[in-house]
Amino acid sequence: MSMLSRLPKLLLISGLVGSMLAGCSNNNPAAGSENATDSGKRASISSTIYDRGAVPNGMGTIEDNMWTKWINENGPANVKFVAIPRWESQSKLNVLLASGSAPDLIFEFGTSIRNQLFDQKQLMPLDDLIEQHSVEYKALMEKYPQLKQAGIKSDGKLYEVGRMNEVYPLVSVFIREDWLQNLGLDVPTTEEEFLAVAKAFTEQDPDGNGVDDTYGVGGFEFGDNSGLFRYIFNANWVNLDENGEIQVGPERLKKEAEFKRALFEAGVVDKDFLSDKDGSKSKQDFLNGKIGIYAFMTNDFLSFASRELDTLMKNVPESRLKVIPLPKTSAGQFNPVWNNPVQMTAVVNARAKEPEAIIKYIDFLVKPEIARTFRYGIEGEHYKLEEDGKPVILDQEKYKNEVSWASDFTMLYSRLEEGKYGYVENQFDEEVPAQKEALRLFRESIDAYMNDLPVGEGLTHSEHMPQLPKELQVKFSNVTAAVHDIYTRAIIGGSNYTVEQAALDAEKQWETGGGPEIISWYEEWWSKEKDNVLIWSDFYEIYQQQQAELKAD
Amino acid sequence: MRDSRGEKLFYFLNYVLLSFIAISCIFPLLNVVALSLSGAGAVASGRVTLWPIDFSFSSFKSLFTGTPIMRSFWNSVQITLIGTALSMLVTIMAAYPLSRKQFYSRRFFTMAMVFTMIFNGGLIPTYLVVQNLGLVNSYGALWLPGLVSTYNMLLMRSAFEQLPGEVEEAAKIDGCGETGILMRIVLPLSKPMLATLALFYGVGYWNSFMSVMIYINDTAKYNMTVLVQNMIKSTSMIQDFADPTMLASMTPEGIRSAAVIVMIVPILAVYPLLQKYFVKGVMLGSIKG
């Protein structure tokens, strides 16, 4: 098996070979764009579809099932689907492209993967095609110019299409309100109060069981809670400074480390947080009612309701959660990261034969009444619309078996175009106790985090960050890892290693590890692209637009 | 003879250390078994460690009815059985001539094969070759490029070389041809080695992942490793969940654990059957005379 077992290693090497091959085997993009499909014959195109191994037994395969048949019956073209294993999408796409057998329409969430395809000149520019052949997507781009802005690549042409998502916080910080009441404390609003409350939660037996078994905050190295302190201090490597200029480097990390060190030394966090490699210990502690402040990924409040929240409500019935704004700090006050509202999801293969049909197919998938199908199923069969337009699932079991796994067909579905029932707020079923509670927390989280404070995730959402050239990227990863280790040492180092010392070491590491090169690359990029890049303030505007529409509806 | 104190201490420490290593290997497995047999709520709250909580077979039930696990199981069986048989056949056919001293320029041919252990074409060129042979999307793409593992072939060659020449001479005198010598003398005498190599090949085919993922486009032909990997890994793609209903299409942890169990059981079941050959395989050639 030496051949097969060596394949993963080969993959690395062949990345280079692949890009070389790809570069030369692809000389005239858009050559087939003259191919008219209006000759009466139905066009045939191909498209990728993620395979997550989730299609139930008896429902066929992800590339051949009731929904692909439905698309071929109702859509504008015959579509042949090629399954792409979700986790290995990059290597699968690489071989398909290099061997000339890649599908025409490529769906890919990974920004770096799409960027790589662009760098290899594998993609077809879409400006003219959309201008000439699109109705739906063109209208969406007019409504949300950001969609166009995000789809344009460095040569000024549009290559990517995507969807608009609702803006809401991806992370929420929960505090045990019942503990606050037990101890007669107020919600902490500053970093000092945060530390004091965490200390009280640790030492004053907030659950009243007479045992010293509680911690103030969850572990801060791994898992859901790990980003919390970064958001609190906006401790990021690539930032926007007060003058609207880009600032790159480890300077902002120091305050975060100081605070974490203070928390660590006060004993409010599990001393073994470093060995809790995926944060699961910390998460369990919270769900078993042993931690007072914990940040969860709440990108999906509905499954948060059915998993974590439901578990906590069962394990600790007296618990009551509250979402708190991030505390004010000496670095300012920030919001935790928000959802990316302008998400690019699809590109077109430069060698596609029938681009017009592809655009028609994109239009088809963008239409809310079509895209809705892959989310709710067929009207009358899987769901019904109530009088006010609320979709209601008729049979959960049937829905789960036939529809729930089809969501990867909705990668171009801008859900908010549904009107108010596309919004998260209206997804909850208040009959279910955990969901009712989750809705309350969701509203609190919107109140706490959707405002014009800066977002503590640096310049912009990671999906809108540019791709460093490979060599610089390696340096950057190395130096960020090294600096991270330096600060971790300072957090647990006691008197042997202070944060001051760590900041000096970090600065040195940055200087010698390629810092100046990386800074100048980002500065050059920013000076060229700053008007095109979507940043947090743009997302806040989108949020306001979305909310205004919700109110109007 | 009685062991001295020092020896006793040594054995004691050895056993402690070895048990420790054994336990650290077994615990993760027990955890997976426990997860697969626990209720969904207990799994989600992370209360399951080594013993199932809220014991139920529901994960296995959903695994067999709700996912294409059986299809991929049969695919794995097919890939493994046919692949192992083909590989063994061709490996024997390569190793036997190379083990014969009278084989002309056997050194050259051996080195030519060893060369492929060090250098190879890389993924994309290999893919192009496979594609031009028309093998993409068929199991031929899994069997053919890795049909002979050079390392296994070398093992087999040296095993054949170690057989005493006198036995063959005797066979020849009794009128045996080359085929007869191979079939009636060499292979029966090399059973332990053959069993070991068959297991190497079998495990390799059973676990084949990258090749399936790269060459097979039709998900109905996926084997278990790719299916299970897909189930496990796709839960960690945060960006997919910008649409808050996407998580519904994820496979719950209990079911994933059950899938892992189904995947490893056949291999676990084969090992004890081949155990006796392993011991012989290790002893092979150790005592002459």
Side-chain angles (χ1 to χ4, degrees), chain A residues 1-4 6-7 10-11 14 18 21 51-57 60-63 83 85-88 91-92 94-96 98-99 101 109-110 163 165 168 284 297 299-300 303 311 315 339 343 375 404-405 407-408 410 415 424 463, chain B residues 45-46 64-68 71 116-117 120 123-128 131 142 145-146 149-150 201 204-205 208-211 213-214 216-220 222 227 229-231 233-234 236-247 249-250:
Chain A
M1 285 307 85
S2 66
M3 175 70 210
L4 294 187
R6 254 184 277 132
L7 270 175
L10 295 186
L11 202 67
S14 56
L21 267 176
D51 174 39
R52 298 173 194 270
V55 180
N57 214 5
T61 60
I62 192 67
E63 70 269 27
R86 175 64 192 99
W87 187 250
E88 300 289 344
S91 39
K92 185 79 185 185
N94 273 347
V95 284
L96 289 176
S99 64
S101 43
F109 279 119
R163 64 181 177 189
N165 296 316
Y168 55 83
Q284 279 166 40
M297 289 293 304
N299 49 346
D300 180 353
S303 59
T311 307
N315 289 352
N339 199 4
Q343 188 176 36
R375 181 136 179 279
S404 67
W405 45 268
S407 52
D408 281 312
T410 65
R415 213 161 32 86
V424 175
E463 286 177 37
Chain B
S45 64
F64 288 120
T65 58
T67 69
R71 185 175 66 207
T116 64
M117 289 175 82
N120 55 62
L123 178 70
I124 307 270
T126 314
Y127 184 89
L128 291 175
Q131 190 184 30
L142 312 182
S149 143
T150 312
Y201 277 123
Y205 279 117
S208 52
F209 169 71
M210 212 54 186
S211 52
M213 215 203 65
I214 296 294
I216 305 297
N217 292 327
D218 184 353
T219 54
Y222 277 173
L227 180 80
Q229 151 96 357
N230 254 343
M231 286 182 183
K233 287 287 189 173
S234 29
S236 49
M237 303 302 276
I238 289 300
Q239 58 201 358
D240 296 15
F241 310 134
D243 178 341
T245 53
M246 293 287 268
L247 219 60
S249 63
M250 301 296 103

Side-chain angles (χ1 to χ4, degrees), chain A residues 244-260:
Chain A
E245 290 304 321
I246 196 165
Q247 180 263 323
V248 186
E251 293 81 6
R252 302 207 183 198
L253 273 53
K254 189 182 162 199
K255 284 189 171 147
E256 180 201 8
E258 274 169 357
F259 189 54
K260 276 173 142 182

Side-chain angles (χ1 to χ4, degrees), chain A residues 327-343:
Chain A
K328 285 191 203 68
T329 69
S330 51
Q333 191 181 12
F334 302 93
N335 282 318
V337 62
W338 297 337
N339 199 4
N340 173 17
V342 191
Q343 188 176 36

Side-chain angles (χ1 to χ4, degrees), chain A residues 143-146 149 164-167 338-339 341-342 416 423 450-453 455 533-549:
Chain A
K143 184 172 172 194
Y144 293 105
Q146 297 92 341
Q149 206 177 331
M164 296 298 292
N165 296 316
E166 185 179 352
V167 192
W338 297 337
N339 199 4
V342 191
L416 297 195
Y423 285 78
M450 294 315 300
N451 50 50
D452 56 3
L453 285 175
V455 174
V533 184
L534 293 169
I535 57 174
W536 292 115
S537 51
D538 297 310
F539 299 156
Y540 189 61
E541 278 173 28
I542 296 173
Y543 169 73
Q544 286 174 316
Q545 185 183 349
Q546 290 174 345
Q547 293 305 309
E549 273 177 39

Side-chain angles (χ1 to χ4, degrees), chain A residues 35 112 316 472:
Chain A
N35 251 358
S112 61
V316 194
L472 284 184

Side-chain angles (χ1 to χ4, degrees), chain B residues 33-72:
Chain B
V33 173
L35 283 172
S36 70
L37 291 173
S38 295
V43 175
S45 64
R47 282 185 285 132
V48 182
T49 50
L50 293 179
W51 201 251
I53 294 175
D54 309 336
F55 186 89
S56 87
F57 280 109
S58 64
S59 289
F60 282 95
K61 206 178 140 225
S62 342
L63 179 70
F64 288 120
T65 58
T67 69
I69 193 90
M70 280 323 284
R71 185 175 66 207
S72 61

Side-chain angles (χ1 to χ4, degrees), chain A residues 411-439:
Chain A
M411 283 176 70
L412 284 169
Y413 175 36
S414 302
R415 213 161 32 86
L416 297 195
E417 300 309 298
E418 288 281 352
K420 68 174 176 183
Y421 288 108
Y423 285 78
V424 175
E425 195 177 338
N426 295 316
Q427 310 290 318
F428 295 89
D429 179 1
E430 294 199 55
E431 307 283 307
V432 182
Q435 292 207 26
K436 191 175 175 203
E437 182 69 358
L439 175 59

Side-chain angles (χ1 to χ4, degrees), chain A residues 18-27 29-30 93-100 102-104 106 113-125 159 347-352:
Chain A
S19 48
M20 274 161 61
L21 267 176
C24 39
S25 58
N26 152 52
N27 23 34
L93 285 173
N94 273 347
V95 284
L96 289 176
L97 283 161
S99 64
D104 302 330
I106 298 169
I113 299 176
R114 292 193 314 271
N115 283 341
Q116 184 205 331
L117 298 184
F118 168 72
D119 291 340
Q120 295 171 352
K121 306 211 185 318
Q122 302 272 19
L123 304 184
M124 183 182 286
Y159 287 93
V347 289
V348 176
N349 186 345
R351 290 190 232 178

